Amino acid sequence: MTNDYNYNFTLELPNGDSQFVSNDLEINLKIENTGQSQNNFKIKYISEFNGKLSFQNTNEEIPFNEYINVPAGIINLNYSSEIIGQQNVTFYCIDDSGNERLIATSFNFLSPSFDLTQTSNYSTTNGNNVLHEMFIENENIVNDNYQLKYEILSMNWIQDPAVTQTSPTLISGNLFGNNTVAIPLNTYIDITNSLTLINNKSKINLFLSYAGYSQFRIKITVKNSYNIEENLIFEHNGVFPQYNTIDFLLRYKRGYSIGSNNNYVTYTFCYTLPNVSGATLTNFKIVKALNNTNNYISVYSNSTAPNYNQNTLKGTYSDGFIPQASPFVEYYKYRILLTYSNGAIYWVDKGVNYDVDTQIGFGSAITNFINSACN
């Protein structure tokens, strides 16, 4: 009886020798028994960068530089790597007689890319905020991680007179969801969890607060886990709402109450309501700021005008007692914003003129002071 061991060992690459990092490169190893004796086979591999080799049908990983049993025939494998560039890989096969053969080859793992796109330069104002969107698409690596940063190329700031002046804050994510991320200026932040998958594209929702009325250009840069960067520049041409300055505040009064323990300032003013043809008042808002700042805070906001007399067409508002050290070098300035049902008209008083009263007492003196606003 003849003891004849022999075999052929070959390699095929169905989709070529190049693939993007992290993706699978398909390999077909073929073992053909050409001897007269029954034979058994083992294979192993070595690579300079310790890439990952696994069976296609089970995803079972093959140990590095360690022989394992395989049947004769075609063995379908996947090879992947996190290292960019060319990699030398050698496959070995050995049979029962100890006859070892090898195939030395090389694979090229490419740097992954993606596109950062817009269907249009979508940038719109919502209140005093900017809404913007863009998409990550045509990714070579699915479910990659991404970071984002932004730079302000130019900014013509227009501040809403009804809010505290605050620097813009960029937020990535759906404001109605849980996965929102604040992005500091010129700083990369991971936005992966804030992305929304839409038709094989990852949507980036951006919300830029306190900049809706401004005109600006911003550069957005997105970087994947392999430090590949793409950027877009978008412009926003915000339009300030139609504010009309009307002298509807008839009188300001500021009174000092000097006590044994604390000094107080009481503010009161008299106003009338402008007549806006075809529209009704929907919001009466009062904001105030110290005389040397523009940091306004809201002290009253309601659909009803406070203490308004329909017979005299006058109303009053008082804001006190406010502790303040003597001398009274700081004081509050007040601003009123009236919004009407047509939505486009705001009536604003800048609140800089006061009638300054001398010292007032407590109790009825304070009441008389407040009630005298419209006198």
Side-chain angles (χ1 to χ4, degrees):
M1 182 175 180
T2 303
N3 186 12
D4 179 15
Y5 290 95
N6 201 8
Y7 67 95
N8 291 328
F9 182 47
T10 57
L11 176 147
E12 294 180 351
L13 303 174
N15 298 309
D17 62 358
S18 295
Q19 185 55 274
F20 293 100
V21 292
S22 294
N23 287 357
D24 290 329
L25 189 149
E26 295 183 13
I27 302 168
N28 292 338
L29 292 180
K30 185 177 181 180
I31 303 173
E32 182 182 8
N33 185 21
T34 59
Q36 296 181 5
S37 299
Q38 184 178 353
N39 209 349
N40 297 297
F41 303 95
K42 297 179 180 181
I43 62 168
K44 73 174 182 178
Y45 81 103
I46 61 172
S47 66
E48 58 186 334
F49 291 118
N50 293 331
K52 176 184 174 181
L53 185 69
S54 59
F55 292 102
Q56 286 185 18
N57 57 342
T58 64
N59 291 322
E60 178 187 353
E61 189 171 349
I62 298 173
F64 180 79
N65 197 21
E66 181 180 328
Y67 273 116
I68 63 170
N69 295 316
V70 292
I74 297 176
I75 306 167
N76 303 117
L77 305 172
N78 286 328
Y79 184 87
S80 63
S81 175
E82 299 290 335
I83 306 298
I84 296 173
Q86 181 175 301
Q87 297 189 29
N88 298 320
V89 182
T90 303
F91 296 93
Y92 295 84
C93 184
I94 193 170
D95 69 356
D96 283 343
S97 69
N99 185 11
E100 186 180 59
R101 292 189 171 91
L102 65 86
I103 300 173
T105 187
S106 62
F107 304 136
N108 188 28
F109 284 92
L110 307 175
S111 176
S113 64
F114 64 96
D115 293 328
L116 188 61
T117 64
Q118 298 170 298
T119 53
S120 63
N121 185 13
Y122 171 79
S123 181
T124 186
T125 298
N126 179 8
N128 188 21
N129 306 300
V130 179
L131 303 180
H132 186 72
E133 63 183 26
M134 57 185 62
F135 297 90
I136 297 171
E137 57 181 320
N138 301 323
E139 301 169 90
N140 297 131
I141 295 180
V142 179
N143 298 324
D144 200 1
N145 295 323
Y146 294 93
Q147 297 181 66
L148 181 146
K149 73 173 182 179
Y150 79 107
E151 306 166 59
I152 297 178
L153 302 180
S154 63
M155 174 72 79
N156 177 26
W157 186 274
I158 300 177
Q159 182 60 43
D160 185 344
V163 299
T164 299
Q165 185 171 348
T166 307
S167 299
T169 299
L170 187 70
I171 296 173
S172 174
N174 185 346
L175 290 180
F176 300 103
N178 296 322
N179 297 323
T180 58
V181 181
I183 313 293
L185 184 65
N186 296 321
T187 303
Y188 271 118
I189 294 293
D190 193 309
I191 61 166
T192 305
N193 291 334
S194 70
L195 300 175
T196 303
L197 184 63
I198 300 178
N199 298 327
N200 297 321
K201 298 190 296 184
S202 296
K203 182 179 179 182
I204 305 174
N205 290 300
L206 296 179
F207 178 88
L208 188 64
S209 60
Y210 305 110
Y213 302 143
S214 304
Q215 292 84 42
F216 59 80
R217 295 175 71 241
I218 285 183
K219 180 180 179 181
I220 300 292
T221 304
V222 175
K223 178 173 66 174
N224 69 3
S225 60
Y226 295 89
N227 294 320
I228 306 301
E229 296 180 339
E230 297 290 342
N231 59 70
L232 281 174
I233 294 176
F234 76 87
E235 298 182 1
H236 181 80
N237 294 306
V239 179
F240 202 57
Q242 182 182 351
Y243 283 87
N244 299 280
T245 302
I246 302 294
D247 188 16
F248 60 86
L249 282 168
L250 304 179
R251 189 180 186 188
Y252 284 93
K253 300 184 73 175
R254 187 172 76 244
Y256 306 129
S257 303
I258 301 177
S260 58
N261 297 320
N262 289 295
N263 301 324
Y264 297 90
V265 178
T266 299
Y267 298 89
T268 187
F269 49 78
C270 178
Y271 67 89
T272 187
L273 293 178
N275 181 27
V276 181
S277 178
T280 57
L281 180 70
T282 58
N283 184 258
F284 188 109
K285 185 172 186 177
I286 303 172
V287 295
K288 70 179 181 181
L290 288 173
N291 61 303
N292 56 356
T293 75
N294 286 319
N295 296 326
Y296 284 92
I297 60 174
S298 177
V299 296
Y300 180 90
S301 182
N302 200 288
S303 60
T304 303
N307 304 313
Y308 191 68
N309 189 317
Q310 294 290 346
N311 296 321
T312 63
L313 300 181
K314 294 179 182 179
T316 61
Y317 183 83
S318 178
D319 189 27
F321 309 98
I322 301 171
Q324 185 170 320
S326 179
F328 299 98
V329 293
E330 285 189 338
Y331 59 87
Y332 280 104
K333 55 185 178 181
Y334 287 77
R335 175 178 290 169
I336 299 180
L337 296 97
L338 306 184
T339 306
Y340 284 80
S341 58
N342 55 15
I345 298 178
Y346 292 72
W347 305 84
V348 179
D349 180 86
K350 295 182 178 180
V352 295
N353 297 315
Y354 292 85
D355 293 328
V356 181
D357 282 13
T358 58
Q359 177 182 344
I360 58 176
F362 290 91
S364 61
I366 294 292
T367 303
N368 292 336
F369 170 78
I370 293 173
N371 292 336
S372 68
C374 285
N375 296 333

